[in-house]
Amino acid sequence: MRPYLLPLLLLLSRVHAQSFERSVAAPAFSIEPAIRSGQLEQATGSAFVLTNSTIGALGDSDLLLLKLDVAGNIIHQLRLGDTGGMGYHDVGTEAVELGGGLYICGYTRSIDTASPPTFTSFLLRTDTALTLQWQKNYLLPGPMELYANSMATTANGQLLLAGQLFDGADFHTVLMKVAANGNTIWIRRYEIPFGERVRCVRELPNGEILLCGNVVFGFELALPFAFKVDANGGFVWGRYYNYPPSSPAEQSDLLFVHAQSLADILLCGHTDVVGAGAEDLYVVDIDSSGAVNWARTYGGSQFEMPSAVHFDAVSNEVVMLGNSSSFNGSFAPLPLALCISQKKKKKTVVKNLP
């Protein structure tokens, strides 16, 4: 993002629908400001799910799901969490729409209390009014912990859940495929060297599966990475990006995958080593072998940090939301939206929200 783009902001904003800012009162204190979700119920004007986890009386967090209308009013809500007064955590991480219902994945300490207590993963299904229909819990034997960090739908109506498995000594990547009723089809564990953190999983147009995130090589050194598996979870390839590292103190990450085609796959995240500022929005375009077609950073002289990335199928744009400190003299963070348009020719539109 460069200063000469700023005069375009008012003109470019006319092509988008009206927006609003609204504060939503949540009990106590929020520790998880949002569950990542796809553009649910597109073109209806409603924000299907606004989410957070709230601190309870015992220091626990509960899952709070909200549905907003076009004016930002709450029309449906659902709160789930520990009812036994044990102070456990219930954290949702991603929501997708499938078969007329909403699926939410996450992890909790409220289920496995014998080990004592370990984090286990869950999958919820609600209807469009956020009425809970069922919940599936996924527990591993012994003291192993399971964290569901990301979820995606497949072309044949199944679900992919990806995250981390902790075996008592190390974290490993784990990938599950489950049916629409929540039953497990298979689960795979990947012992990639170093400590990897998966942020996103998506099915590719040919049925293969791509995961991305970062790998911790050492103190203050985290490189972006992606790896691909086949439709049954068999490992195909893995790649580190920004490798070899140009700095011993890199903090880069890839948060989101969007595949236009097998030859044009966008990996979106942030980096602090190849851009203009302390941290910049980062987009790497790869083919199905992981080879880089192009890589770009978007940022000013200070930091730009994304917190959520979505693909809007209506406008055919990848939208990165976060904050920026490059647009005022005090360098205080401001809300930031970056839209990458995939219409006709690739065009980048940057918007600094007031």
Side-chain angles (χ1 to χ4, degrees), residues 69-275:
D69 64 16
V70 68
N73 300 308
I74 299 174
I75 54 176
H76 298 298
Q77 60 180 301
L78 172 66
R79 179 170 176 171
L80 298 171
D82 169 42
T83 59
M86 300 299 292
Y88 297 145
H89 292 276
D90 309 281
V91 179
T93 54
E94 188 152 13
V96 300
E97 199 173 13
L98 178 65
L102 178 69
Y103 290 81
I104 306 102
C105 71
Y107 51 89
T108 178
R109 294 177 64 200
S110 300
I111 299 168
D112 183 7
T113 60
S115 292
T118 58
F119 277 103
T120 55
S121 291
F122 63 80
L123 180 66
L124 310 174
R125 179 185 162 98
T126 74
D127 61 17
T128 56
L130 298 186
T131 302
L132 181 64
Q133 296 179 328
W134 51 256
Q135 175 177 340
K136 292 283 187 178
N137 305 319
Y138 305 104
L139 285 74
L140 296 176
M144 290 194 292
E145 298 185 342
L146 186 62
Y147 300 82
N149 296 334
S150 180
M151 179 170 53
T153 58
T154 67
N156 61 354
Q158 297 171 340
L159 294 161
L160 300 168
L161 279 73
Q164 265 65 48
L165 178 154
F166 181 67
D167 61 8
D170 298 300
F171 282 91
H172 304 284
T173 292
V174 66
L175 176 63
M176 300 172 58
K177 179 175 279 191
V178 303
N181 63 3
N183 291 337
T184 303
I185 298 173
W186 50 254
I187 180 170
R188 300 284 186 267
R189 169 177 170 171
Y190 306 95
E191 297 189 16
I192 301 173
F194 309 107
E196 71 276 5
R197 291 174 288 194
V198 169
R199 308 296 193 190
C200 187
V201 58
R202 292 293 183 264
E203 185 182 53
L204 298 178
N206 64 351
E208 294 180 316
I209 302 164
L210 189 65
L211 303 92
C212 72
N214 70 20
V215 173
V216 180
F217 279 76
F219 180 68
E220 294 189 343
L221 179 58
L223 299 184
F225 93 117
F227 75 96
K228 188 172 77 170
V229 301
D230 62 29
N232 295 313
F235 187 86
V236 178
W237 57 255
R239 285 180 179 262
Y240 305 128
Y241 297 93
N242 299 352
Y243 188 87
S246 58
S247 167
E250 177 176 349
Q251 294 292 311
S252 300
D253 205 352
L254 295 173
L255 309 176
F256 186 79
V257 175
H258 173 65
Q260 289 285 103
S261 67
L262 290 177
D264 185 11
I265 303 168
L266 295 178
L267 305 175
C268 304
H270 60 87
T271 182
D272 62 353
V273 297
V274 295

